[in-house]
Amino acid sequence: MPNRSSTARTADDLASRVADDLPEIADPLAVSTADARTLSVILFRRLRSLQEGTPAYSYVRNTLVELNLSLVKYAATRFRRSGESWEDVLQVGTVGLIKAINRFDPERGCEFMSFALPTVLGEIRRHLRDTGWSVHVPRRLQELRLDLAKANDALEQELGRPPTDAQLRARLHVSEAELREGRIAANGFVSRSLDVPVDDEDGGPGLLARRLGADDAAFEKIENLETLKPLVAALCARDRTILALRFGEELTQSEIGERLGLSQMHVSRLLSRILGGLRTALTADRPDRPGVQR
């Protein structure tokens, strides 16, 4: 019975003989897309002549996988916003690529990349459907959510506008209650933080946070104005006039002095006293009316 080392040597010899019949591929990952297509045709023809499970078959198939990994990366970019890690999506897509390689028949005249892309995308979608739900949702509703999304897109393209509920129900052959269940189920697919931006370039609050609302700074301003009304009303006539000239007509202290027959220095002291009194009253727990001084 051959030992393990002799078995390994036999496998290496088989792989070497297979490689002798093929173009030399030093680094399959560095091959251009155009060259990968050409080499894949040759490798698939060779794969058809080999027995599945043999070292030679594994060698050729692994080379095909490496040559076409760019297809997996292309498919995976469609799911960047899925919330799943990039490495996991690539791994699942590679499983789909291997399935496509196992089923591909070069004699049918179809290009491998066109044949493999739906398989890779389908494998990733099934993975996300089964693992991407934030809350437990029955498989029936998971599939209904997918059918609802597909039907909505198809009808919108046909009609040139979003479809009505009646049109969706007719396309899917479901009742009004089932349609409502499918929409509710979509809410359990992905949960996101309220702070997640709407898109990568958006530095503002998340979409959900915007919908829920936020504190409006104008409310504090309105509250302050309402609190000031009785405080200003308690001032003497001259103080109210000074405030009106300064903040209503936006006159300078010199212009106010000329209007009232006071010096600019006197107006400055009066304004400081009035504003200081109002500020103290606003910040106090129980604001007292500012004293009236002349």
Side-chain angles (χ1 to χ4, degrees):
M1 181 176 181
N3 57 34
R4 185 171 182 179
S5 60
S6 62
T7 302
R9 284 197 298 272
T10 302
D12 290 340
D13 292 341
L14 280 171
S16 177
R17 287 200 294 274
V18 172
D20 290 341
D21 298 334
L22 300 170
E24 182 179 355
I25 307 174
D27 184 5
L29 297 177
V31 175
S32 67
T33 303
D35 289 340
R37 288 196 183 98
T38 303
L39 291 170
S40 293
V41 172
I42 299 173
L43 288 168
F44 272 116
R45 289 174 182 168
R46 191 71 180 95
L47 190 67
R48 296 282 289 177
S49 67
L50 299 172
Q51 183 178 356
E52 187 175 355
T54 62
Y57 183 94
S58 298
Y59 170 80
V60 175
R61 189 178 68 171
N62 290 342
T63 304
L64 278 167
V65 171
E66 293 181 343
L67 278 174
N68 291 280
L69 279 178
S70 60
L71 176 66
V72 176
K73 293 179 180 178
Y74 168 76
T77 56
R78 301 190 182 187
F79 304 93
R80 282 191 177 275
R81 297 180 180 272
S82 66
E84 195 78 3
S85 72
W86 175 250
E87 291 75 15
D88 288 347
V89 174
L90 285 180
Q91 185 175 1
V92 173
T94 303
V95 172
L97 175 63
I98 294 172
K99 290 181 178 180
I101 291 172
N102 292 340
R103 297 201 306 263
F104 182 66
D105 184 357
E107 301 302 325
R108 293 186 176 180
C110 175
E111 185 175 326
F112 173 67
M113 287 190 174
S114 300
F115 172 83
L117 183 59
T119 304
V120 174
L121 290 172
E123 193 71 22
I124 296 174
R125 288 193 182 104
R126 278 190 293 274
H127 170 76
L128 295 177
R129 181 192 65 189
D130 293 339
T131 64
W133 293 83
S134 301
V135 296
H136 176 70
V137 175
R139 175 60 62 86
R140 175 182 66 85
L141 293 181
Q142 294 181 25
E143 294 175 350
L144 178 58
R145 184 198 72 85
L146 290 175
D147 292 341
L148 179 59
K150 292 177 183 177
N152 189 84
D153 291 343
L155 284 170
E156 188 167 355
Q157 289 184 356
E158 294 173 12
L159 302 172
R161 58 170 175 78
T164 64
D165 288 356
Q167 290 167 330
L168 283 171
R169 292 200 305 271
R171 174 63 64 95
L172 295 173
H173 305 290
V174 297
S175 66
E176 184 177 352
E178 289 173 322
L179 181 65
R180 186 165 53 252
E181 278 187 318
R183 285 176 169 162
I184 294 174
N187 295 331
F189 185 62
V190 176
S191 62
R192 306 184 71 193
S193 168
L194 297 180
D195 295 326
V196 173
V198 178
D199 53 52
D200 295 337
E201 297 179 357
D202 186 4
L207 179 60
L208 291 176
R210 292 178 184 178
R211 289 178 176 174
L212 291 175
D215 291 338
D216 192 336
F219 289 145
E220 184 177 357
K221 184 181 293 185
I222 293 173
E223 183 180 356
N224 289 337
L225 288 174
E226 290 300 315
T227 305
L228 273 174
K229 283 183 180 179
L231 301 176
V232 173
L235 294 173
C236 67
R238 187 183 63 178
D239 288 354
R240 289 198 303 272
T241 300
I242 291 175
L243 289 178
L245 294 175
R246 181 67 183 92
F247 300 103
E249 299 184 26
E250 298 185 351
L251 301 182
T252 65
Q253 293 179 2
S254 298
E255 290 171 337
I256 295 172
E258 291 177 3
R259 183 80 63 89
L260 299 180
L262 302 172
S263 67
Q264 181 270 329
M265 186 66 69
H266 192 183
V267 172
S268 176
R269 288 198 300 268
L270 289 173
L271 273 173
S272 297
R273 190 244 323 146
I274 296 168
L275 295 178
L278 292 174
R279 189 179 299 109
T280 300
L282 278 175
T283 56
D285 292 336
R286 297 185 62 183
D288 297 323
R289 294 179 179 179
V292 179
Q293 301 181 16
R294 301 186 187 275

